[in-house]
Amino acid sequence: MAPSELYGRSVALELKTVWSDVCLLHEPEAEIWIGVRTPATEVPARVTAIRAALSANGSPLVEARPHGDDALLRVHDAALIDYLRGAWDEWAQAGLPEDPGQDRVVPYFFAAGARHEPVAVWARPGFFAYDTMTLIGPGTWEAARAAADAALTAVDLVLAGERHAYACTRPPGHHVTRARYGGSCYLNNAAIAAAAVAEHGSVAVLDIDAHHGNGTQEIFYDRADLRTASVHVDPGAGWFPHILGFADEHGDGANRNAPVAPGSGDDEWLEQVRAVTRWLERPDALVIALGVDAAEGDPESPLRVTTEGYRGAGRIVGALGVPTVVVQEGGYDIARIGELVTAFLSGLEEGAT
Ligand code: SP5
Ligand code: ZN
């Protein structure tokens, strides 16, 4: 029996938390949903709350280190990276914050079937974005780039022999495809991490965010050597990302989706986490896309996973006994996000011992 069960309190977390203050610079302020500007859910307070909980539980904090663009170019088109890097500056230089008065980069037009990158600054977002929820402001690029650096730093720690490492990052990443951003995500941090690990050995990605990891699936869909699995609320029941995440999407035999019904709690959810983890077999290393938005009460999903459910998921994954990089994805209940992440990471360490 683990000491935490004997004494009814957590033992200190051993794994390191990778952090960058630069991730706080992205302030989306809003999401435009069905044309209505609603308050942003993907806010800086998410990661400061997680960091506070993990520090209180003993996890040592490590600063993210800079990495070259080559790590990003393994999974993203250069055109997407170039666009994101300059998007805010070109928007501001075009005067759009003053006239017509839009202080965030947002598409008005979607470039389906485009043969050319649009020239007009106001048309360009719709060539690279697939929704209106994912706004760009001053600091968005710097934060997204720092989030990728944090994920890559967590990879470095695991490659150097740490059993587990956690990247406490935002903005999240798993909805970004090779060439398109969306779903509050700009660079696919987990995919970038997995591609970096794959340079050294076999790797699999397990995504337990409440939403399907459509970007990660698309990026690795033709790679039979890299397994990707996602447990998420059923898009067929109407949930984001709507068009992907169904159980019949197998890729080159190395993709697996486990959609669960809205309202599902620990039993149904953990059964799927167990099944897909078994299916991953035993790669040399694992990348976990850790969204905690499947928790009961989260404003962005109808799943009802408890804190003990997240601890249970951590134990299942930890019991694989494989070096693991954990990258933060969604989770929007600020009052509970810290305890949920702590529960998963504690479970991970318990499962591995
Ligand atoms: C990383 C992640 O968890 N992204 C999730 C994005 C899901 N967004 C879907 C939005 C659906 C409408 N929500 C209404 C909220 C209005 N503020
Ligand atoms: Zn999510």
Side-chain angles (χ1 to χ4, degrees):
M1 187 180 279
S4 58
E5 290 168 80
L6 282 173
Y7 302 114
R9 57 181 286 275
S10 293
V11 290
L13 285 167
E14 271 179 35
L15 90 175
K16 291 178 174 144
T17 295
V18 183
W19 174 266
S20 171
D21 282 340
V22 179
C23 290
L24 303 175
L25 297 180
H26 168 53
E27 306 237 15
E29 292 189 336
E31 308 168 342
I32 296 178
W33 187 61
I34 58 169
V36 179
R37 198 172 171 113
T38 60
T41 49
E42 202 292 283
V43 293
R46 298 177 56 245
V47 285
T48 51
I50 297 169
R51 183 184 63 172
L54 295 180
S55 294
N57 282 282
S59 174
L61 211 59
V62 170
E63 192 69 26
R65 285 187 300 271
H67 291 71
D69 279 355
D70 52 321
L72 280 51
L73 289 164
R74 289 190 192 110
V75 311
H76 292 304
D77 283 358
L80 175 65
I81 294 167
D82 291 346
Y83 176 69
L84 291 171
R85 182 179 276 118
W88 170 252
D89 286 343
E90 73 179 35
W91 191 265
Q93 273 159 28
L96 298 171
E98 294 80 37
D99 178 13
Q102 177 53 270
D103 71 351
R104 290 293 180 272
V105 178
V106 61
Y108 88 96
F109 150 90
F110 289 101
R115 289 173 189 268
H116 300 278
E117 211 175 294
V119 174
V121 170
W122 43 90
R124 288 166 57 70
F127 187 77
F128 297 100
Y130 62 76
D131 67 32
T132 61
M133 310 272 309
T134 311
L135 307 187
I136 295 174
T140 297
W141 166 253
E142 288 75 9
R145 192 64 182 73
D149 281 330
L152 288 163
T153 303
V155 168
D156 294 340
L157 291 170
V158 164
L159 290 177
E162 304 264 345
R163 180 149 45 176
H164 306 128
Y166 169 67
C168 187
T169 57
R170 71 176 284 276
H174 72 148
H175 294 308
V176 189
T177 68
R178 195 162 280 279
R180 295 278 187 125
Y181 71 97
S184 306
C185 304
Y186 305 86
L187 294 172
N188 195 323
N189 308 312
I192 290 166
V197 176
E199 298 283 300
H200 303 269
S202 66
V203 61
V205 182
L206 171 61
D207 187 324
I208 59 168
D209 185 277
H211 305 97
H212 173 239
N214 60 301
T216 313
Q217 169 173 306
E218 190 238 55
I219 286 166
F220 296 127
Y221 210 56
D222 298 325
R223 276 190 75 156
D225 64 315
L226 196 160
R227 291 193 175 195
T228 49
S230 181
V231 181
H232 48 265
V233 62
D234 186 2
W239 291 85
F240 190 92
H242 301 294
I243 56 170
L244 288 168
F246 294 77
D248 63 353
E249 295 157 18
H250 301 298
D252 212 342
N255 186 73
R256 181 156 164 172
N257 287 327
V260 297
S264 296
D266 290 354
D267 290 352
E268 300 93 322
W269 187 75
L270 284 171
E271 186 184 324
Q272 295 305 321
V273 171
R274 213 171 279 117
V276 302
T277 302
R278 206 177 298 124
W279 174 79
L280 292 175
E281 293 180 340
R282 240 178 141 268
D284 295 334
L286 203 59
V287 173
I288 308 290
L290 174 64
V292 292
D293 44 5
E296 172 148 39
D298 189 282
E300 291 296 323
S301 110
L303 300 181
R304 306 184 61 182
V305 176
T306 68
T307 302
E308 281 314 296
Y310 272 99
R311 184 184 299 273
R315 284 184 178 143
I316 290 165
V317 175
L320 268 187
V322 163
T324 299
V325 175
V326 182
V327 179
Q328 186 62 43
E329 298 286 356
Y332 307 96
D333 185 349
I334 309 282
R336 296 206 40 229
I337 191 169
E339 79 173 58
L340 293 164
V341 172
T342 302
F344 178 84
L345 297 176
S346 301
L348 187 69
E349 293 192 343
E350 288 159 14
T353 51

